[in-house]
């Protein structure tokens, strides 16, 4: 279909505020509504940032007669500099346009003059947004655009710039990508996936201006259907497909002179534990007062205000004390016109000389109150449990509740709905709140994918465990991930321990205080997984184990030890154990390049032994397409558990430690889905093998002797591996599950 486009042109009123001190702006859309007469109503909110007067915003008109009606609101100033110096302000206005449906997309733009005086010398600015008006096959509605904004004035000392996180929330759950709409200032970089702005070198003091474009792409294959009956196909996250929406974000950053100390909380304010996290989704109700509380501290400066980017009629109450702490309470009462609106709210804590990081949240306005049931939370050293009183939530359908990770389900009895999870599973998030570390999860209601309407109440119940940093829980969490607890409706509560052991007896585990575990290359590492369950007769199946150089299992630099139930690493030995345990050993290795740690992540499943079609019964699958669909009750979902890190020290041959150069060891066999980094100078890489490096200290005076000695060692190693490999070729093909039968 040839996409017809109409232009909604914004002709600026060239007033003092808009012409002499433009700091940036943002646009956010409410979901377009299709009327009974076939027309669309599109409401968008425009926030404009400036210096001393922000109320002279642009006026709007429609081009080519495609708009049959316009309803513009008055522009109101939403925040301003409290010092009386008129350094910054922000205003918001909104417009509802009635649009004929013989168009496939909406384009909105305006331009004006002038940017605040800036390093780049830019004067003209242009605002732009574009929205596809096709009905999505997955949501049965028109696409919703990404939600974003910033505070009016961003400031950071030259020597303290680390990152600025840009709000990029998509109401449809689409993938949002950020890019520079025009070339960015020198020595600034933008991560298109995380929408984080960083510096790549020395940045010049002064004001820098930024023009970003946020674009959303569906994470599933969808079809867009238009009012004339035509349709187009959009591939999931397809880079060859146009985005569903484009929204331009403009802002400025003032790079200040360096300060003596960049530690957060010293001169630059740091947010404390009461403050929402960046990217949080909060809920408000029409006609009821919504409140947001934020608290910050600067031990060697005075916080005099919080800068806020929010909706019209949001009020703030500021309080401070003599200890360098300050707090703000934001209050807002949504009106019926705000129903189902996603409202971006950003804030910073302000001192005379600098400000805190910018945090942004999204407030979703609903009509019925979000249910807050009576919950009891129990926190222990490595897990938390939650129990909800059913009597406090009348009319709630417990079958449509889930944790943050929907693969973890809840259990219930006649009086309570219960869940248990460790601090590293079920979508639990860890947050650093200054003096505290907090583990957060939530119970949410959900709808079925094919539902167009629902009559179930909305549920969002957050719960958390908070620990002072003075105790060892944070170190335990970061360095020793051993206990994992899950709940599923058909299996109840169950858990896994993933441990490193001293020897092949698997009775003497490495204590938590010894992490990270120090090992030498080629040393045999003994690891064991143990499952525990409320059910008396279950079987553990380890479907995969892979190594990464950090604790991110999704790191593209990875190496599979076990995949699809099949052993892939030739040094793996699986030891006999019972049906709920899996013990194995392998030779230690490291990733090529400047990496000295390895984490191991395994996916595990529990099955009922008598189920002949479970994943456990299938065992090793060389062809993953043969995998049967998960049974309704014969097995749990796939859960991921991580152990590590292994820290590489020393070298395995002490008698040659003083006479050796670096040596590269290789394991034969192609390793699919591995993306090793570029080889460091002086190393070699192979597409047919995995390089491992054995580090020895160098001694120039004996280099020739050492080199000859090492060549002989390598040749002997290759010969020994050749015969061992042939002898164990069949052993490596055996199913992992067959080890349990011993």
């Amino acid at each position: 279909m040839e996409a017809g486009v109409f232009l909604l042109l914004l002709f600026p009123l060239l007033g003092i505020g808009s012409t002499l001190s433009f700091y940036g702006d943002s646009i956010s859309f409410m979901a377009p509504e299709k009327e009974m007469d076939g027309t669309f109503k599109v409401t968008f909110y425009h926030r404009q940032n400036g210096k001393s007067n922000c109320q002279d915003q642009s006026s709007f008109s429609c081009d080519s007669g495609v708009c049959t009606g316009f309803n513009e609101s008055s522009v109101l100033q939403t925040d301003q500099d409290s010092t009386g110096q008129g350094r910054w302000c922000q205003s918001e206005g909104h417009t509802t346009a009635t649009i004929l449906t013989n168009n496939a997309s909406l384009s909105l733009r305006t331009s004006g003059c002038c940017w605040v005086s800036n390093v780049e010398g830019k004067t003209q600015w242009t605002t732009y947004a574009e929205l596809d008006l096709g009905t999505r096959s997955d949501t049965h509605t028109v696409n919703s655009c990404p939600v974003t904004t910033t505070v009016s004035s961003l400031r950071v000392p030259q020597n303290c710039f680390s990152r600025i996180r840009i709000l990029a929330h998509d109401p449809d759950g689409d993938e949002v990508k950020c890019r520079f709409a025009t070339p960015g200032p020198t020595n600034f970089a933008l991560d298109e996936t995380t929408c984080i702005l960083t510096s790549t070198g020395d940045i010049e003091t002064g004001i820098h201006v930024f023009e970003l474009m946020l674009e959303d792409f569906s994470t599933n294959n969808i079809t867009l259907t238009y009012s004339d009956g035509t349709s187009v196909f959009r591939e999931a996250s397809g880079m060859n497909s146009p985005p569903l929406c484009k929204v331009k974000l403009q802002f400025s950053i003032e790079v200040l002179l360096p300060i003596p100390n960049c530690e957060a909380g010293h001169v630059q304010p740091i947010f404390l534990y009461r403050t929402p996290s960046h990217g949080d989704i909060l809920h408000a109700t029409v006609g009821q007062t919504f409140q947001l509380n934020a608290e910050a501290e600067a031990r060697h400066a005075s916080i005099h205000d919080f800068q806020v980017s929010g909706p019209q009629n949001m009020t703030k109450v500021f309080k401070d004390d003599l200890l360098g702490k300050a707090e703000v309470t934001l209050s807002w009462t949504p009106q019926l016109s705000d129903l189902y609106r996603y409202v971006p709210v950003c804030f910073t804590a302000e001192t005379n000389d600098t400000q805190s990081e910018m945090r942004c949240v999204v407030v979703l306005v609903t009509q019925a109150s979000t249910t807050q049931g009576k919950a009891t939370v129990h926190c222990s050293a490595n897990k938390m449990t939650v129990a909800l009183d059913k009597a406090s939530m009348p009319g709630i359908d417990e079958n449509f509740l889930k944790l943050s990770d929907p693969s973890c389900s809840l259990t219930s009895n006649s009086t309570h709905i219960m869940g248990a999870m460790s601090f590293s599973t079920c979508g639990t998030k860890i947050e650093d709140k200054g003096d505290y570390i907090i583990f957060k999860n939530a119970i949410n209601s959900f709808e079925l994918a094919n539902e167009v309407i629902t009559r179930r109440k909305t549920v969002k119940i957050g719960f958390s465990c908070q620990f002072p940093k003075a105790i060892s829980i944070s170190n335990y969490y970061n360095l020793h991930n051993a206990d994992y607890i899950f709940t599923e409706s058909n299996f109840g509560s169950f858990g896994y321990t993933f441990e490193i052991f001293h020897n092949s007896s698997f009775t003497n585990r490495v204590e938590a205080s010894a992490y990270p575990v120090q090992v030498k290359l080629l040393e045999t590492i003994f690891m064991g997984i143990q499952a525990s369950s409320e059910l008396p007769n279950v079987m553990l199946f380890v479907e995969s184990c892979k190594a990464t150089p950090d604790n991110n299992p999704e790191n593209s630099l990875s190496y599979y030890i076990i995949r699809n139930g099949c052993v892939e690493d030739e040094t793996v030995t699986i030891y006999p154990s019972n049906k709920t345990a899996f013990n194995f050993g392998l030779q230690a290795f490291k990733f090529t390049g400047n990496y000295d740690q390895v984490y191991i992540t395994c996916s595990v499943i529990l099955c009922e032994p008598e189920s002949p079609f479970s994943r456990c019964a299938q065992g090793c699958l060389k062809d993953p397409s043969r995998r049967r669909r998960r049974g309704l009750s014969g097995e749990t979902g796939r859960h991921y558990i991580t152990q590590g890190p292994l820290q590489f020290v020393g070298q395995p041959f002490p008698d040659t430690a003083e006479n050796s150069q670096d040596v590269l060891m290789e394991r034969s066999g192609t390793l699919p889905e591995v993306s090793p980094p570029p080889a460091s100078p002086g190393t070699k890489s192979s597409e047919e093998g995995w390089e491992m490096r054995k580090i020895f200290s160098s001694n120039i005076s004996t280099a020739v002797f050492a080199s000859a000695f090492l060549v002989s060692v390598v040749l002997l190693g290759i010969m020994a591996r050749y015969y061992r490999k042939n002898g164990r070729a069949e052993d490596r093909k055996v199913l992992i599950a067959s080890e349990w039968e011993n």
Side-chain angles (χ1 to χ4, degrees):
M1 173 182 180
E2 188 69 27
V5 177
F6 77 84
L7 299 179
L8 184 60
L9 298 177
L10 287 69
F11 297 102
L13 294 175
L14 301 181
I16 296 175
S18 63
T19 60
L20 300 179
S21 58
F22 182 76
Y23 282 11
D25 66 350
S26 63
I27 296 178
S28 60
F29 287 89
M30 290 190 67
E33 299 178 5
K34 192 171 184 178
E35 302 296 296
M36 295 296 294
D37 61 2
T39 61
F40 279 109
K41 281 192 174 181
V42 179
T43 299
F44 56 91
Y45 291 79
H46 181 222
R47 292 185 189 172
Q48 185 164 303
N49 308 322
K51 188 174 182 180
S52 58
N53 180 7
C54 292
Q55 291 184 264
D56 293 329
Q57 269 202 22
S58 305
S59 60
F60 309 102
S61 64
C62 246
D63 188 38
S64 303
V66 296
C67 295
T68 60
F70 251 115
N71 182 13
E72 294 184 348
S73 75
S74 59
V75 176
L76 296 180
Q77 189 159 289
T78 55
D79 200 18
Q80 63 181 341
D81 179 16
S82 65
T83 65
Q85 301 178 43
R87 295 183 298 180
W88 54 264
C89 60
Q90 186 177 86
S91 63
E92 183 184 72
H94 76 268
T95 300
T96 299
T98 303
I99 302 164
L100 297 175
T101 57
N102 58 350
N103 297 277
S105 65
L106 176 157
S107 294
L108 178 154
R109 72 174 72 239
T110 187
S111 60
C113 183
C114 295
W115 273 104
V116 62
S117 179
N118 57 84
V119 174
E120 289 71 35
K122 289 188 177 181
T123 55
Q124 297 293 321
W125 52 267
T126 300
T127 301
Y128 182 79
E130 182 178 331
L131 169 64
D132 193 295
L133 295 176
T135 299
R136 298 172 56 133
S137 58
D138 55 347
T139 64
H140 309 289
T141 60
V142 177
N143 182 70
S144 296
C145 289
V147 177
T148 188
T149 196
T150 68
V151 297
S152 179
S153 174
L154 289 166
R155 301 180 295 148
V156 60
Q158 183 185 40
N159 59 324
C160 301
F161 187 92
S162 58
R163 66 175 185 178
I164 292 179
R165 295 181 292 184
I166 305 300
L167 178 66
H169 173 76
D170 191 89
D172 295 321
D174 293 334
E175 179 182 5
V176 180
K177 295 184 178 180
C178 302
R179 61 178 175 85
F180 286 117
T182 60
T186 303
N187 290 335
F188 287 92
L190 179 67
D191 187 305
E192 72 167 19
T193 302
T194 62
C195 295
I196 294 177
L197 186 69
T198 57
S199 63
T200 58
D202 294 335
I203 52 180
E204 186 177 345
T205 57
I207 295 177
H208 299 265
V209 298
F210 296 83
E211 299 172 272
L212 272 54
M213 191 69 75
L214 279 66
E215 302 171 328
D216 64 336
F217 300 85
S218 175
T219 57
N220 301 304
N221 293 337
I222 63 170
T223 300
L224 298 172
T225 303
Y226 299 94
S227 57
D228 61 1
T230 60
S231 61
V232 295
F233 174 77
R234 293 290 178 86
E235 185 180 1
S237 301
M239 294 305 297
N240 296 324
S241 298
L244 298 168
C245 183
K246 297 180 180 180
V247 176
K248 191 175 183 180
L249 173 68
Q250 302 181 106
F251 58 93
S252 58
I253 299 175
E254 183 179 5
V255 178
L256 306 169
L257 293 174
I259 59 176
N261 192 327
C262 291
E263 176 190 357
H266 188 267
V267 174
Q268 287 186 293
I270 184 175
F271 285 119
L272 302 180
Y273 71 95
R274 292 181 57 196
T275 309
S277 299
H278 182 80
D280 275 358
I281 309 300
L282 309 179
H283 291 73
T285 303
V286 171
Q288 299 183 22
T289 300
F290 163 83
Q291 287 194 332
L292 184 155
N293 295 294
E295 186 177 17
E297 178 183 35
R299 297 185 298 276
H300 298 278
S302 176
I303 300 174
H304 62 77
D305 194 11
F306 284 78
Q307 189 178 172
V308 177
S309 173
Q312 290 186 6
N313 301 316
M314 174 173 274
T315 63
K316 66 179 180 181
V317 176
F318 174 80
K319 295 180 181 179
D320 63 349
D321 60 24
L322 299 177
L323 301 177
K325 293 183 179 180
E327 63 180 86
V328 67
T329 300
L330 305 179
S331 301
W332 179 57
T333 303
Q335 305 302 307
L336 188 60
S337 59
D338 297 307
L339 183 60
Y340 304 130
R341 179 183 172 192
Y342 287 81
V343 184
V345 178
C346 296
F347 47 89
T348 57
E350 300 288 319
T351 70
N352 286 331
D353 300 319
T354 184
Q355 66 184 186
S356 68
E357 66 164 331
M358 179 178 67
R359 286 196 185 179
C360 301
V361 300
V362 176
V363 180
L364 170 59
V365 181
T366 58
Q367 193 163 27
S369 297
T370 297
T371 300
Q372 297 289 342
K374 182 180 178 182
T376 301
V377 181
H378 176 70
C379 304
S380 61
N382 59 0
K383 70 175 181 179
M384 58 182 170
T385 58
V386 59
L388 307 179
D389 187 351
K390 288 184 176 181
S392 69
M393 301 181 296
I396 294 301
D397 190 339
E398 62 189 78
N399 295 314
F400 289 86
L401 299 180
K402 65 178 183 179
L403 292 165
S404 295
D405 182 350
S407 67
C408 299
S409 56
L410 300 161
T411 60
S412 65
N413 56 27
S414 59
T415 60
H416 288 84
I417 300 170
M418 297 159 291
M421 66 227 66
S422 70
F423 294 140
S424 53
T425 59
C426 298
T428 302
K429 294 182 178 179
I430 180 174
E431 295 183 1
D432 190 332
K433 296 290 187 177
D435 295 333
Y436 296 87
I437 190 165
I438 299 180
F439 301 90
K440 298 174 64 176
N441 210 310
I443 296 175
N444 302 300
S445 56
F446 66 93
E447 287 81 39
L448 299 176
N450 59 353
E451 286 185 311
V452 178
I453 65 168
T454 181
R455 293 187 172 90
R456 290 185 294 274
K457 294 182 178 180
T458 300
V459 177
K460 181 176 176 62
I461 305 169
F463 57 94
S464 63
C465 287
Q466 175 178 302
F467 297 93
K469 280 188 174 178
I471 67 173
S472 61
I473 182 68
S474 60
N475 291 333
Y476 182 90
Y477 173 83
N478 287 328
L479 296 178
H480 183 234
N481 300 317
D483 294 319
Y484 296 79
I485 298 94
F486 305 90
T487 56
E488 292 192 14
S489 56
N490 294 314
F491 276 77
S493 294
F494 56 94
Y496 303 96
T497 60
F498 192 3
E499 299 283 3
I500 298 176
F501 293 88
H502 288 284
N503 52 50
S504 60
S505 66
F506 296 96
T507 56
N508 185 15
R509 67 180 177 87
V510 175
E511 295 298 327
S513 60
Y515 282 75
V517 180
Q518 296 188 346
V519 298
K520 298 177 181 178
L521 291 173
L522 303 183
E523 177 184 350
T524 299
I525 307 301
F526 301 96
M527 309 184 81
I529 301 172
Q530 176 69 52
S532 59
S533 172
E534 295 175 345
L535 300 179
N537 189 22
V538 293
M539 173 184 289
L540 168 66
F541 182 75
V542 177
E543 187 175 48
S544 70
C545 288
K546 70 175 180 179
T548 53
D550 54 30
N551 61 356
N552 175 19
E554 302 303 320
N555 193 323
S556 60
L557 178 58
S558 61
Y559 170 56
Y560 274 96
I561 299 165
I562 299 168
R563 176 155 41 182
N564 298 321
C566 309
V567 173
E568 294 214 346
D569 184 277
E570 63 181 12
T571 71
V572 169
T573 299
I574 301 174
Y575 294 85
S577 56
N578 59 47
K579 291 183 178 181
T580 57
F582 180 79
N583 297 326
F584 65 102
L586 76 158
Q587 287 184 354
F589 60 89
K590 71 184 295 290
F591 287 91
T592 305
N594 190 26
Y595 302 99
D596 62 353
Q597 290 187 343
V598 168
Y599 288 77
I600 307 294
T601 298
C602 297
S603 64
V604 290
I605 298 171
L606 281 185
C607 305
E608 297 174 352
E610 64 273 12
S611 176
F613 302 110
S614 69
R615 183 67 186 90
C616 301
Q618 289 178 284
C620 169
L621 289 178
K622 293 294 186 182
D623 181 6
S625 64
R626 295 176 50 208
R627 182 183 301 164
R628 301 184 183 95
R629 294 186 61 185
R630 177 184 167 190
L632 295 178
S633 61
E635 65 187 63
T636 68
R638 183 184 297 108
H639 295 288
Y640 295 88
I641 59 178
T642 300
Q643 186 52 280
L646 302 175
Q647 180 84 42
F648 292 94
V649 296
Q651 48 77 34
F653 302 121
D655 57 329
T656 61
E658 297 180 357
N659 304 296
S660 303
Q661 299 280 345
D662 289 2
V663 175
L664 295 178
M665 304 292 290
E666 295 185 358
R667 292 184 185 174
S668 62
T670 300
L671 304 176
E673 298 183 17
V674 177
S675 302
S680 301
T683 68
K684 63 179 182 179
S685 62
S686 171
E687 295 180 354
E688 301 297 325
W690 183 257
E691 297 179 348
M692 297 189 307
R693 177 173 295 171
K694 184 171 55 179
I695 306 300
F696 301 99
S697 60
S698 298
N699 188 317
I700 298 176
S701 63
T702 58
V704 175
F705 171 80
S707 299
F709 174 80
L710 289 174
V711 169
S712 64
V713 171
V714 171
L715 291 175
L716 288 173
I718 293 173
M719 294 175 63
R721 189 183 66 180
Y722 174 81
Y723 289 105
R724 182 183 64 182
K725 180 180 177 182
N726 286 347
R728 295 181 58 193
E730 295 302 320
D731 294 339
R732 293 198 305 273
K733 297 179 181 179
V734 74
L735 301 180
I736 295 175
S738 68
E739 296 292 338
W740 295 328
E741 298 175 359
N742 297 329

